[in-house]
Amino acid sequence: MFVDKAKVFVKGGDGGDGLVAFRREKYVPDGGPAGGDGGNGGDVVFRVDEGLRTLVDFRYQKHFKADRGEKGRNKSQHGANAEDMIVRIPPGTTIIDDDSQMVIADLTRHGQEVVVAKGGRGGRGNTRFVTQRMTAPEIAENGEEGEERWVVLEMKVLADVGLVGFPSVGKSTLLSVVSAAKPKIAAYHFTTLTPNLGVVDVGDGRSFVMADLPGLIEGAHQGVGLGHEFLRHIERTRVLVHVVDMSAADGRDPYDDFLKINEEIKLYNAKLENRPQIIVANKMDMPESEDNLALFKEQLAAEGKDYAIYPISALTHEGVKELLYKISDIVESIPPAPEVEAVAEQEERKVYRFEKDEDNEFTIRRVNETFVIDSPSIEKLIKRTNFSTPDSVARFARILRNMGVDNELRKRGAVHGQTIQIGDFEFEFDEKS
């Protein structure tokens, strides 16, 4: 089963909680705090595996969650960090954030990695909060939550040459002749529903990868027919081989077919209009093909279009060898697609993270008798605060006071005992704190 697009959920592991503990050895008076930090949560890492060819595995598993870090331990021992979750993907996979539609990574080489969901940082134990004034703090942080998001995986086949053209023009037959690939061949439209790849040995020590791509029809750039399911895969090819049926089967006009296919490619991605293209006049063994080819050349010349045209018969193999030599020459003269080359120059492992606003800004709004505080940084602080100990509560109140939250609430008319809401939590405003 060929699957080239999938949507999956990824979540980094939560950090382990810090620990409140104290030394209690018999001969160590006033031993002091001994609670260790929690371990960091595991990352979700996508790694390229050249042994994979499709995204079919993601049809059956759509959720990937890394393990959380261990809790801190006694005697100031650090909790173990969780192992990263490695998710294997095929080469040529583009990873896109589903919410922002930002491209996270475009991975093409075996072993390349990207961290798509960073694990949470472990919480600090009470040994981290010792000061001259507070020598035995009962404060420990909860572990930070791991990042989570939905991502879309799009696989684009990695081929040097892409065969394009209307259905049933002989693309699959040509691929089966020049390579060991065994695509399905039948006398009806849309026989090829998924891309087929084959390695072409030219015979003079040169070779290249050719892709037989599903046939296009008019309106494909808008999703008609196989639409984007086809067009996505021609973006990485270095050369387009446009196969035209010169026998004019089914009453079709070869030149009109040629123009329509090129228009669909242009409307999908304007950059592809400048991609090197060879015209293959196929089925020259059929009657009237010679006359149709002569008319085709006249129509091209009248429009001022300059393309190399190679008449062949994929059925009888006539002209195929000359075509392969020409394709190989062009492939050798063209570097890989820019986006692939740029990725190849990057480091093997990348960490993707949204840019987060780490300042202490907040807004206050009043809803009936409740004051609602909106602040990502304060909500994050709440999640990391363990409210089970008085020292942790006092530290939380102190941080808000230093941020200016208390003064702003007073300006808005908050009085002692009034309800304050932050995220999913509610507190009472305490003038004495």
Side-chain angles (χ1 to χ4, degrees):
M1 182 184 297
F2 187 88
V3 178
D4 58 2
K5 189 172 184 179
K7 180 179 177 180
V8 298
F9 175 81
V10 293
K11 185 183 187 307
D14 297 337
D17 297 337
L19 182 69
V20 174
F22 297 91
R23 296 183 65 181
R24 301 184 185 279
E25 289 91 342
K26 183 176 180 180
Y27 299 106
V28 182
D30 302 324
D37 299 343
N40 297 330
D43 301 334
V44 178
V45 180
F46 282 17
R47 177 185 295 168
V48 176
D49 185 341
E50 62 184 8
L52 300 178
R53 285 292 176 265
T54 77
L55 299 173
V56 66
D57 292 342
F58 298 97
R59 172 165 288 189
Y60 307 105
Q61 182 178 357
K62 294 183 178 294
H63 289 77
F64 298 88
K65 299 180 181 180
D67 294 333
R68 69 175 301 149
E70 287 190 1
K71 294 182 178 180
R73 300 180 181 181
N74 203 350
K75 299 182 180 180
S76 302
Q77 292 180 346
H78 195 293
N81 296 330
E83 295 288 335
D84 293 341
M85 169 174 273
I86 306 298
V87 181
R88 300 184 307 139
I89 58 175
T93 300
T94 302
I95 306 168
I96 303 168
D97 179 75
D98 188 51
D99 289 334
S100 65
Q101 294 302 305
M102 289 174 55
V103 175
I104 296 174
D106 191 4
L107 306 180
T108 59
R109 292 188 295 127
H110 180 69
Q112 279 185 308
E113 295 181 346
V114 63
V115 178
V116 293
K118 188 72 175 168
R121 181 166 57 91
R124 292 177 291 178
N126 66 334
T127 55
R128 300 286 189 173
F129 297 96
V130 176
T131 64
Q132 289 182 338
R133 295 178 58 187
M134 185 180 293
T135 58
E138 294 188 13
I139 302 174
E141 291 179 329
N142 297 327
E144 187 180 48
E145 292 183 348
E147 293 179 328
E148 61 180 61
R149 60 175 57 94
W150 284 91
V151 295
V152 176
L153 307 179
E154 289 187 355
M155 198 201 78
K156 303 171 185 177
V157 296
L158 295 173
D160 301 305
V161 179
L163 297 175
V164 300
F166 265 87
S168 298
V169 295
K171 301 187 298 297
S172 298
T173 303
L174 177 60
L175 180 66
S176 67
V177 167
V178 300
S179 73
K182 303 297 181 184
K184 182 180 179 180
I185 301 172
Y188 57 85
H189 291 337
F190 295 111
T191 308
T192 305
L193 296 177
T194 62
N196 294 300
L197 270 70
V199 177
V200 179
D201 184 0
V202 181
D204 57 358
R206 296 182 296 175
S207 63
F208 55 84
V209 179
M210 178 181 284
D212 165 29
L213 302 170
L216 272 174
I217 61 174
E218 191 173 6
H221 72 283
Q222 297 176 331
V224 177
L226 297 178
H228 296 157
E229 302 302 318
F230 157 80
L231 289 163
R232 180 187 309 124
H233 297 289
I234 69 174
E235 293 185 70
R236 294 198 194 277
T237 57
R238 289 194 258 177
V239 181
L240 298 180
V241 174
H242 195 148
V243 182
V244 181
D245 180 3
M246 282 299 160
S247 67
D250 302 327
R252 305 193 64 89
D253 180 355
Y255 187 69
D256 184 56
D257 286 354
F258 170 77
L259 293 179
K260 285 179 179 177
I261 295 296
N262 278 350
E263 183 66 15
E264 293 303 320
I265 293 173
K266 176 184 174 181
L267 291 173
Y268 174 73
N269 187 338
K271 294 181 181 178
L272 295 175
E273 186 181 17
N274 300 321
R275 195 69 51 90
Q277 185 175 145
I278 297 175
I279 298 177
V280 173
N282 192 25
K283 302 185 182 181
M284 294 303 297
D285 54 308
M286 300 293 288
E288 301 183 1
S289 290
E290 290 290 346
D291 294 338
N292 292 333
L293 177 58
L295 177 60
F296 185 88
K297 290 180 178 179
E298 292 178 6
Q299 291 171 314
L300 274 180
E303 294 290 336
K305 301 181 184 297
D306 184 21
Y307 288 98
I309 302 177
Y310 286 82
I312 71 163
S313 170
L315 187 64
T316 65
H317 302 187
E318 178 186 355
V320 172
K321 204 66 177 178
E322 293 76 8
L323 172 64
L324 296 184
Y325 285 136
K326 179 61 178 179
I327 294 174
S328 187
D329 290 341
I330 296 178
V331 169
E332 285 186 341
S333 66
I334 301 173
E339 62 269 19
V340 176
E341 190 174 22
V343 170
E345 294 174 355
Q346 295 175 358
E347 298 176 9
E348 285 301 306
R349 179 164 180 164
K350 290 289 184 183
V351 178
Y352 170 79
R353 301 195 73 169
F354 281 120
E355 292 194 12
K356 295 184 178 179
D357 188 4
E358 297 292 349
D359 58 31
N360 293 327
E361 291 185 356
F362 61 89
T363 59
I364 299 177
R365 52 191 171 90
R366 186 164 183 168
V367 180
N368 297 326
E369 295 301 315
T370 301
F371 288 90
V372 180
I373 300 176
D374 297 313
S375 171
S377 60
I378 295 179
E379 291 181 20
K380 181 177 178 180
L381 175 64
I382 288 177
K383 293 178 180 180
R384 292 181 63 83
T385 300
N386 182 355
F387 290 100
S388 64
T389 63
D391 285 351
S392 294
V393 174
R395 175 176 177 266
F396 176 75
R398 186 168 59 252
I399 292 175
L400 263 60
R401 186 166 56 250
N402 294 336
M403 290 174 59
V405 175
D406 288 16
N407 289 334
E408 189 63 28
L409 285 170
R410 292 187 185 96
K411 293 179 182 179
R412 297 294 183 95
V415 296
H416 182 75
Q418 199 146 20
T419 301
I420 309 298
Q421 181 179 336
I422 307 175
D424 297 328
F425 293 83
E426 289 187 351
F427 306 89
E428 285 188 2
F429 185 55
D430 187 359
E431 279 285 10
K432 301 176 183 178
S433 63

